[in-house]
């Protein structure tokens, strides 16, 4: 099998090389091979990308990421496969486009005037703000004129372009450009105190602050900047135009849903919460991890999802009791515990098994029209405020023109359940919807952090009927099989 795969890869490389050679031969004549012809000759869209939580990475369920999803969808629209060419930095991905090694770059590339002279940018995908980052406990400069020594950014990066522009206003501004380190590595060096400052886009800063909570933002270097795909500047429109049609065909709602899937919860947990989680991972979780894993295997869930729920509920404290009388690691009500046949809510094993059974049931009763992972977030909201209120808020979402299948639209209506004008129209009445919104965001963040800390794959495989060959969403914290209850 390996020999066969290697042979297929070799044939693809050979075909691509032959296409490039033919293009080079014909470029001196009146004939030229267009970009779409190159894609069709290869049988795949070759995309330069980077490993990044904002772009592309290998999750527990396979390839995933905001720009990966978009690139995979574009390749499907062309009727070809998707081949990823990994670059170390966005700048290297741009070089791959310029020298013909990739058809386009989908690599978190920020548009700058200098880059616009070297490549052709498509429709903006999102906006980010370049921020000066330092370590908590060190002095925070008020503006660019007060940045001292120790500022390091990736070589030929968008950050370097911003600093060059600022230097005309602040001649004393100095920095070092690293040819070897990317932005995330520099953020880690700032967190460890190895360098004093770096510049990073706001989305990457927010994500990394969850893992390195000592990171702080001094100020924004500029206003919001566009992130877009990059194409060769001197080639025909045969690929560029379909790409713009594909992206333009995605409604703002669809893009908003995709952004929410990857970025909608990244600022949910503050510094103290992140530090506390890291401490409890060492001091409390080892006592209960085996039970979380056993429950996850029995109910076809990711153990880190169960652990994230347990952490949000009780910080993994089996003796936790809320003011409303819910108890234990998974904070089960007395009524729910009786339904689940949990005799002792403060027994860690019973609580975790009961909580796993309950969230599994909630996931399974969410209507089939709701896709993953949205059905997971809706089930979490139900775990927090009751399934009846989830039915109500989905109906309110429909009435107000939203998509009740998508968490981003439902979430926007949760707070209506606290307003008499709206909750009086529902079957189940008042609910603290804002708390459910925070609850789901926290669980999502804790889940992401546990994935980052442990990095291991789910304990049981995904159900064959639900696992796509090419995942198009973020790692699904579930392994869907048949309903348990």
């Amino acid at each position: 099998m390996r020999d066969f795969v290697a042979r297929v890869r070799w044939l693809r490389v050979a075909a691509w090389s032959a296409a490039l050679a033919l293009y080079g031969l014909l470029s001196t004549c009146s004939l030229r091979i267009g970009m779409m012809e190159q894609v069709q000759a290869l049988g795949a869209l070759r995309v330069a990308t980077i490993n990044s939580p904002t772009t592309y990475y290998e999750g527990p369920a396979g390839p995933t990421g905001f720009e990966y999803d978009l690139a995979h969808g574009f390749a499907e629209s062309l009727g070809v496969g998707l081949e990823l060419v990994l670059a170390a930095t966005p700048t290297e991905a741009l070089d791959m486009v310029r020298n013909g090694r990739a058809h386009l770059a989908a690599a978190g590339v920020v548009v700058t005037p200098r880059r616009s002279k070297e490549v052709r940018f498509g429709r903006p995908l999102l906006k980010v703000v370049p921020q000066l980052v330092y370590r908590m406990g060190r002095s925070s400069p008020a503006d660019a004129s007060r940045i001292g020594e120790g500022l390091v950014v990736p070589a030929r990066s968008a950050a370097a372009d911003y600093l060059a522009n600022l230097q005309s206003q602040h001649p004393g501004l100095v920095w070092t450009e690293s040819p070897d380190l990317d932005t995330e590595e520099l953020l880690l060096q700032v967190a460890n105190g190895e360098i004093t400052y770096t510049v990073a886009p706001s989305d990457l800063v927010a994500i990394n602050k969850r893992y390195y909570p000592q990171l702080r933002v001094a100020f924004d270097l500029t206003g919001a900047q566009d992130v877009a795909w990059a194409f060769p500047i001197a080639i025909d429109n045969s690929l560029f135009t379909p790409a713009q049609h594909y992206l333009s065909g995605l409604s703002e709602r669809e893009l908003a849903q995709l952004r929410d899937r990857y970025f909608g919860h990244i600022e949910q947990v503050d510094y103290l919460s992140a530090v506390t989680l890291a401490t409890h991972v060492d001091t409390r979780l080892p006592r209960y991890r085996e039970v979380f894993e056993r429950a996850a295997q029995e109910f076809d869930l990711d153990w880190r999802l169960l652990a994230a729920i347990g952490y949000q509920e009780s910080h993994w404290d089996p003796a936790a009791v809320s003011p409303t009388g819910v108890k234990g690691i998974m904070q089960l009500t007395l009524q729910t515990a009786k339904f689940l046949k949990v005799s002792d809510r403060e027994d860690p094993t019973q609580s975790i098994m009961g909580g796993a059974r309950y969230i599994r049931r909630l996931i399974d009763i969410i209507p089939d029209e709701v896709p993953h992972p949205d059905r997971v977030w809706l089930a979490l909201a139900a775990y927090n405020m009751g399934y009846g209120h989830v039915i109500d808020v989905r109906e309110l979402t429909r009435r107000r023109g939203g998509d009740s299948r998508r968490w981003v639209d439902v979430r926007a209506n949760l707070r209506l359940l606290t307003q008499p004008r709206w909750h009086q129209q529902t079957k189940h009445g008042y609910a603290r919807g804002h708390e459910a919104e925070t609850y789901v965001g926290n669980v999502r963040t804790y889940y992401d952090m546990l994935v980052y800390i442990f990095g291991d794959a789910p304990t049981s495989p995904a159900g064959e009927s639900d696992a796509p060959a090419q995942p198009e969403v973020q790692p699904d914290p579930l392994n869907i099989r048949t309903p348990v209850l």
Side-chain angles (χ1 to χ4, degrees):
M1 182 64 182
R2 290 183 179 177
D3 290 342
F4 173 76
V5 172
R7 189 176 302 111
V8 169
R9 289 178 177 170
W10 182 88
L11 288 172
R12 284 186 171 179
V13 171
W16 175 244
S17 299
L20 286 179
L22 184 57
Y23 169 74
L25 176 64
L26 295 179
S27 62
T28 59
C29 307
S30 59
L31 297 176
R32 301 181 67 185
I33 294 180
M35 288 290 289
M36 186 60 71
E37 291 177 278
Q38 295 178 27
V39 171
Q40 291 171 343
L42 184 63
L45 179 70
R46 181 164 287 176
V47 176
T49 190
I50 59 172
N51 272 313
S52 168
T54 62
T55 306
Y56 157 77
Y57 57 95
E58 285 285 337
T64 190
F66 176 73
E67 291 197 62
Y68 171 82
D69 280 3
L70 290 173
H72 186 263
F74 179 43
E76 280 194 332
S77 75
L78 298 177
V80 298
L82 175 64
E83 286 194 15
L84 300 180
V85 184
L86 283 181
T89 64
T91 299
E92 184 179 319
L94 291 176
D95 289 341
M96 289 178 175
V97 169
R98 291 170 57 213
N99 63 27
R101 292 177 58 197
H103 299 122
L104 65 92
V109 178
V110 179
V111 180
T112 69
R114 175 184 63 81
R115 287 174 166 177
S116 295
K117 297 176 182 178
E118 300 173 347
V119 294
R120 187 179 187 184
F121 286 106
R123 176 190 175 185
L125 305 175
L126 50 83
K127 290 184 179 291
V128 297
V129 177
Q131 299 178 318
L132 183 76
V133 182
Y134 68 104
R135 177 187 167 90
M136 182 180 66
R138 292 189 170 179
S139 60
S140 172
D143 54 48
S145 66
R146 303 192 181 188
I147 299 175
E149 296 181 352
L151 171 57
V152 184
V153 298
R156 300 170 51 223
S157 61
D161 288 355
Y162 302 139
L163 293 172
N165 291 334
L166 284 172
Q167 195 175 48
S168 62
Q169 306 168 34
H170 308 284
L173 178 63
V174 295
W175 68 92
T176 300
E177 295 189 24
S178 171
D180 303 316
L181 301 178
D182 65 12
T183 302
E184 282 203 278
E185 290 171 310
L186 291 174
L187 286 171
L188 175 58
Q189 289 199 1
V190 171
N192 290 338
E194 299 172 46
I195 61 175
T196 309
Y197 311 107
T198 194
V199 174
S202 51
D203 56 349
L204 208 55
V205 173
I207 288 174
N208 279 273
K209 281 174 68 177
R210 296 186 303 180
Y211 311 126
Y212 315 124
Q214 60 270 54
L215 293 177
R216 289 290 181 271
V217 174
F219 58 86
D220 299 340
L221 268 69
T222 71
Q225 305 292 304
D226 290 332
V227 173
W229 286 352
F231 300 79
I233 204 168
I235 307 296
D236 67 343
N237 293 329
S238 62
L239 182 65
F240 182 83
T241 299
Q244 301 323 295
H245 286 165
Y246 166 73
L247 293 174
S248 298
L250 299 173
S251 68
E252 185 52 42
R253 173 178 289 176
E254 289 175 307
L255 283 174
Q257 290 168 350
L258 192 60
R259 293 184 192 115
D260 176 76
R261 181 164 291 171
Y262 291 103
F263 311 125
H265 60 294
I266 58 178
E267 295 183 332
Q268 193 76 32
V269 174
D270 60 16
Y271 168 78
L272 181 60
S273 298
V275 171
T276 304
L277 172 68
T279 301
H280 288 162
V281 162
D282 290 333
T283 60
R284 294 185 181 180
L285 182 57
R287 283 175 273 175
Y288 311 115
R289 176 172 173 174
E290 184 274 333
V291 183
F292 281 124
E293 290 178 336
R294 182 151 42 93
Q297 184 173 14
E298 180 171 345
F299 295 103
D300 290 327
L301 299 164
D302 186 329
W303 76 268
R304 294 162 302 188
L305 174 68
L306 294 179
I309 296 171
Y311 190 76
Q312 168 63 23
E313 292 287 356
S314 67
H315 284 202
W316 301 320
D317 179 3
V321 180
S322 82
T324 59
V326 294
K327 292 183 178 182
I329 287 181
M330 305 300 279
Q331 290 288 279
L332 302 175
T333 66
L334 183 59
Q335 182 180 6
T336 301
K338 288 181 178 179
F339 172 75
L340 297 169
K341 298 180 180 178
V342 173
S343 60
D344 184 355
R345 290 181 287 167
E346 294 183 72
D347 176 82
T349 298
Q350 288 193 48
S351 181
I352 292 170
M353 285 294 184
R357 185 179 181 88
Y358 188 45
I359 190 64
R360 174 77 265 175
R361 180 177 187 275
L362 291 171
I363 291 163
D364 290 338
I365 64 176
I366 297 290
D368 292 341
E369 66 181 19
V370 180
H372 291 288
D374 300 74
R375 66 187 300 113
V376 185
W377 315 144
L378 288 172
L380 288 173
Y383 193 105
N384 176 255
M385 67 179 182
Y387 184 66
H389 294 302
V390 169
I391 295 174
D392 288 346
V393 74
R394 291 190 67 217
E395 177 58 30
L396 289 177
T397 301
R398 277 191 289 268
R399 290 185 202 171
R400 304 185 76 224
D403 187 344
S404 65
R405 301 169 302 172
R406 299 294 183 179
W407 168 247
V408 64
D409 284 13
V410 173
R411 184 184 64 186
N413 290 281
L414 276 168
R415 296 183 180 225
L416 299 181
L417 296 179
T418 65
Q419 301 173 22
R421 172 189 169 192
W422 294 102
H423 70 66
Q424 288 175 1
Q425 302 178 36
T426 67
K427 179 178 180 179
H428 300 91
Y430 172 89
R432 299 176 68 84
H434 58 286
E435 289 187 1
E437 178 183 357
T438 300
Y439 178 91
V440 176
N442 284 352
V443 172
R444 291 176 65 179
T445 297
Y446 292 140
Y447 171 71
D448 284 353
M449 295 174 75
L450 292 172
V451 169
Y452 175 84
I453 291 169
F454 294 102
D456 48 349
T459 54
S460 59
E464 293 182 4
S465 61
D466 295 282
Q470 289 286 339
E472 295 184 34
V473 298
Q474 73 179 80
D476 188 347
L478 299 167
N479 294 299
I480 304 302
R481 292 183 181 172
T482 54
V484 175
L485 293 178

